[in-house]
Amino acid sequence: MSIPVSPLGLLLDVDGPIASPITRTISTPSILADLITLAAGHVPIAFITGRSADFIREQVIAPLVLAGLPETFRMYGVCEKGAVWFPIGPNGMGDVVVDQSVALPMAVIDAVRQLVSDSFAAEMFFDETKQAMISVEQRTDVSHANYLARQSEFNEAAFAILVEHGLGVQFDDRQSPDEFGRIPFRLDATIISTDIESVTLDKDHAAKRALAYFAASGPLPQLWRSMGDSRSDYRMADHLYEAGYDVTHVDVRPSDGILDRPYPVIVIGDQIHDEAGATFLRYWVDKLALRSSSRNA
């Protein structure tokens, strides 16, 4: 059965615009309701995130299923910035695929886990749910100031571990090539975590995978919106723009600096994070006149 074509498609980061960076959950009820309404209106929705599949299953998909997803819709997840992907259906997450070719060596994973346990467990935790990358995240019972005070020290120690294991790694402007002159890995520090990942992983590649999935089920909208809270989230819109789509990026944390792009970049007034995300989703529910249909979705 063919799926009607919506005039709009969405590529959404999760931490920030959908899930609160404080609670790490969808704490604004209208976000769930409006995602379901948009899905019922045949809007293709992809969650493009650095989070793990387990996190998305528990914190995003399970609440959506509980709230009542429609029978027919287009929704997809690309996690760990492109290393993990899966379809989303009425009963939840489909088969999860992991690209093991971009995973870090187990010895490095074990060494970083031990580093956190020995020296940083009071401020952060090792994310055991990641399948291809390493993430070390701020504990929710620790203040952001206390976490930031230790994050730089952790980054230095983690960088040193990769160098000690002979891996090429970069962090900001620092580079340490491997014995062949290659730099296959990087550290990426965010406001609540540090990720250690393959340099081939990024949200433009994740966006490309999501669009290919949607294209397999029918025509795509020409109009797209991407939304995120970090500078790397702009890469979703970069891919859409380069692929010839009409795209605008929504920056829900513009205080980090709005990037100069050839496509429009908008902010939601003075709102940030999931407050801005909720306003954005409600705007499109109303603009597409989907409010009444959502009552039966």
Side-chain angles (χ1 to χ4, degrees):
M1 182 178 66
S2 62
I3 299 176
V5 181
S6 166
L8 173 71
L10 296 175
L11 300 184
L12 305 175
D13 178 31
V14 174
D15 274 325
I18 301 300
S20 164
I22 299 173
T23 67
R24 324 285 165 83
T25 65
I26 299 179
S27 57
T28 304
S30 69
I31 288 179
L32 284 175
D34 289 341
L35 284 171
I36 290 171
T37 298
L38 290 162
H42 309 295
V43 174
I45 301 171
F47 299 109
I48 308 292
T49 178
R51 285 291 189 178
S52 69
D54 282 357
F55 180 92
I56 298 304
R57 179 189 290 110
E58 295 169 7
Q59 300 301 335
V60 178
I61 299 175
L64 285 170
V65 171
L66 186 62
L69 283 165
E71 285 299 313
T72 304
F73 62 101
R74 302 164 89 179
M75 189 175 286
Y76 197 61
V78 184
C79 292
E80 302 192 34
K81 302 178 185 176
V84 179
W85 56 90
F86 47 84
I88 302 169
N91 297 318
M93 184 183 292
D95 292 338
V96 177
V97 179
V98 181
D99 182 359
Q100 293 291 351
S101 71
V102 298
L104 284 106
M106 188 56 66
V108 172
I109 294 172
D110 290 342
V112 174
R113 180 189 291 110
Q114 192 64 49
L115 171 68
V116 174
S117 177
D118 290 346
S119 305
F120 297 94
E123 297 85 17
M124 52 193 81
F125 66 91
F126 184 93
D127 186 349
E128 296 287 356
T129 68
K130 292 296 177 76
Q131 295 171 278
M133 61 193 291
I134 295 174
S135 291
V136 176
E137 186 172 334
Q138 175 188 341
R139 289 175 43 161
T140 56
D141 61 345
V142 172
S143 74
H144 190 53
N146 287 345
Y147 170 73
L148 289 179
R150 295 279 280 158
Q151 186 184 28
S152 295
E153 184 180 348
F154 167 79
N155 292 342
E156 291 295 323
F159 189 97
I161 285 175
L162 269 72
V163 173
E164 289 166 8
H165 282 79
L167 299 182
V169 59
Q170 66 183 44
F171 178 47
D172 293 336
D173 296 331
R174 293 176 57 194
Q175 295 186 343
S176 177
D178 64 16
E179 61 178 316
F180 303 106
R182 301 173 305 191
I183 304 176
F185 296 102
R186 66 173 170 237
L187 270 69
D188 181 21
T190 77
I191 61 170
I192 61 170
S193 69
T194 294
D195 297 328
I196 307 172
E197 62 202 19
S198 166
V199 297
T200 65
L201 297 178
D202 228 323
K203 294 201 171 183
D204 49 351
H205 303 296
K208 182 178 180 180
R209 182 173 297 282
L211 263 65
Y213 171 80
F214 291 139
S217 63
L220 299 179
Q222 181 61 25
L223 182 70
W224 286 82
R225 295 290 182 267
S226 58
M227 180 167 61
D229 70 337
S230 70
R231 305 319 91 190
S232 63
D233 290 318
Y234 282 69
R235 294 191 177 101
M236 295 185 287
D238 290 346
H239 174 72
L240 288 162
Y241 178 80
E242 291 164 5
Y245 293 100
D246 180 352
V247 59
T248 295
H249 182 66
V250 184
D251 191 334
V252 302
R253 198 174 74 233
S255 61
D256 278 3
I258 297 176
L259 300 184
D260 183 18
R261 287 294 190 265
Y263 48 80
V265 177
I266 62 174
V267 300
I268 310 296
D270 295 329
Q271 296 179 342
I272 62 171
H273 297 145
D274 50 331
E275 182 183 10
T279 297
F280 168 81
L281 294 175
R282 180 56 53 88
Y283 168 85
W284 277 103
V285 165
D286 293 339
K287 185 174 180 62
L288 297 176
L290 298 175
R291 180 59 54 200
S292 59
S293 65
S294 69
R295 303 308 180 190
N296 300 317

